Amino acid sequence: MTTPTRHVLSTDGVSLAVYETGDPERPTVIAVHGYPDDHTVWDGLVGLLADDFHVVTYDVRGAGGSEAPKRREGYRIPQLVDDLAAVIDATSPGQDVHLIGHDWGSVQSWGAVVDPRLEPRLLSFTSISGPSLDYAGAWLRGIRRHPGAALRQLAESSYIGFFQLPALPEAAIRAGLLDRLIARTSGTAARSEDDAVNGLELYRANFLNRMTRPDPRATVVPVQVIAPSRDPYISTRLACEAPEPYVPDLRAQVVEGRHWVVAEQPELVADLFRGFVADVTR
């Protein structure tokens, strides 16, 4: 098990396990993992970037070596943004950072991209398989413009409704059903049951409110969206089209791959990330 470089306290006292690789004097990139992963999903990418970047990963609250909040409110996106702010302050004081997120790590990072406190500190954001819930909600409300795509996305997201139920999702995870589902769409290893159960609160604390009453906001942060063509959870149309009205500097990259492209094809992700960073910092 990897030993954290440091533990960082968030605004509500939850301790976050943080891992740093590479020279702190080099540009910092912070990578935020999704559900039901921990920081190790980035191991391949970290190895590819560490010669040129100060790479920071952390276990989000409720996962890996980080503490879990005692209440559901502790998983709301504004609190997750506070977590990211604390990690940035601790690992890159006084220096702006590049941000990359996958799945729920990307979903919560969109909250940082439009946050007035953090937006000026973000040099770029690379979003992989994790849309802004506000942008997604607004895109789905425009169903008349893309009825087929919207209905397909709703079908692909049907598992989220199951996650809202009491007790049954936890029982399914304990029975190994989540691992079997992931195994059909990814070659990655089994996840921690406790982390998966904790992470259900991400869906319960955020989805219904954000999707039924979206509040999409614009950002000046340059954004690259990497959309795997064989992602069974997030359609390429949602990933690429939903941010368009709100992100003036948007680059959308549809790639051949599956949902866990960050673990399965880290070389591809590293190349796209390097090219994007070179472009926005030129």
Side-chain angles (χ1 to χ4, degrees), residues 101-153:
H102 173 250
D103 187 83
W104 253 102
S106 177
V107 172
Q108 69 183 69
S109 293
W110 280 107
V113 167
V114 299
D115 187 295
R117 300 169 301 157
L118 284 182
E119 186 179 36
R121 298 208 58 191
L122 301 179
L123 298 169
S124 73
F125 172 43
T126 295
S127 166
I128 307 169
S129 294
S132 157
L133 297 185
D134 293 302
Y135 295 172
W139 183 83
L140 288 169
R141 282 171 173 251
I143 189 170
R144 291 183 179 180
R145 295 192 297 273
H146 38 245
L151 290 173
R152 282 193 296 274
Q153 180 58 61

Side-chain angles (χ1 to χ4, degrees), residues 133-214:
L133 297 185
D134 293 302
Y135 295 172
W139 183 83
L140 288 169
R141 282 171 173 251
I143 189 170
R144 291 183 179 180
R145 295 192 297 273
H146 38 245
L151 290 173
R152 282 193 296 274
Q153 180 58 61
L154 288 170
E156 291 170 352
S157 303
S158 59
Y159 68 94
I160 295 171
F162 175 69
F163 282 177
Q164 305 299 318
L165 299 175
L168 284 177
E170 285 87 344
I173 289 169
R174 299 295 186 196
L177 296 181
L178 180 64
D179 274 346
R180 289 199 284 275
L181 174 64
I182 291 174
R184 287 201 294 268
T185 59
S186 168
T188 52
R191 275 70 172 176
S192 158
E193 284 186 1
D194 290 338
D195 291 359
V197 167
N198 289 340
L200 291 171
E201 298 301 325
L202 293 167
Y203 294 88
R204 293 165 175 167
N206 295 290
F207 257 92
L208 292 180
N209 180 56
R210 294 276 180 154
M211 296 298 285
T212 56
R213 294 187 295 275

Side-chain angles (χ1 to χ4, degrees), residues 28-146:
T28 295
V29 52
I30 297 185
V32 190
H33 71 81
Y35 176 84
D37 300 310
D38 59 24
H39 75 281
T40 59
V41 77
W42 297 111
D43 283 355
L45 186 68
V46 169
L48 294 167
L49 296 181
D51 286 345
D52 301 306
F53 294 91
H54 171 222
V55 187
V56 177
T57 61
Y58 66 100
D59 292 323
V60 303
R61 53 180 49 217
S66 292
E67 293 179 345
K70 293 180 171 57
R71 299 170 57 123
R72 179 171 297 170
E73 290 77 7
Y75 288 94
R76 288 178 177 163
I77 287 176
Q79 181 62 63
L80 302 176
V81 172
D82 283 352
D83 293 355
L84 176 60
V87 172
I88 292 175
D89 288 342
T91 61
S92 188
Q95 298 295 324
D96 299 338
V97 304
H98 298 281
L99 180 63
I100 182 169
H102 173 250
D103 187 83
W104 253 102
S106 177
V107 172
Q108 69 183 69
S109 293
W110 280 107
V113 167
V114 299
D115 187 295
R117 300 169 301 157
L118 284 182
E119 186 179 36
R121 298 208 58 191
L122 301 179
L123 298 169
S124 73
F125 172 43
T126 295
S127 166
I128 307 169
S129 294
S132 157
L133 297 185
D134 293 302
Y135 295 172
W139 183 83
L140 288 169
R141 282 171 173 251
I143 189 170
R144 291 183 179 180
R145 295 192 297 273
H146 38 245

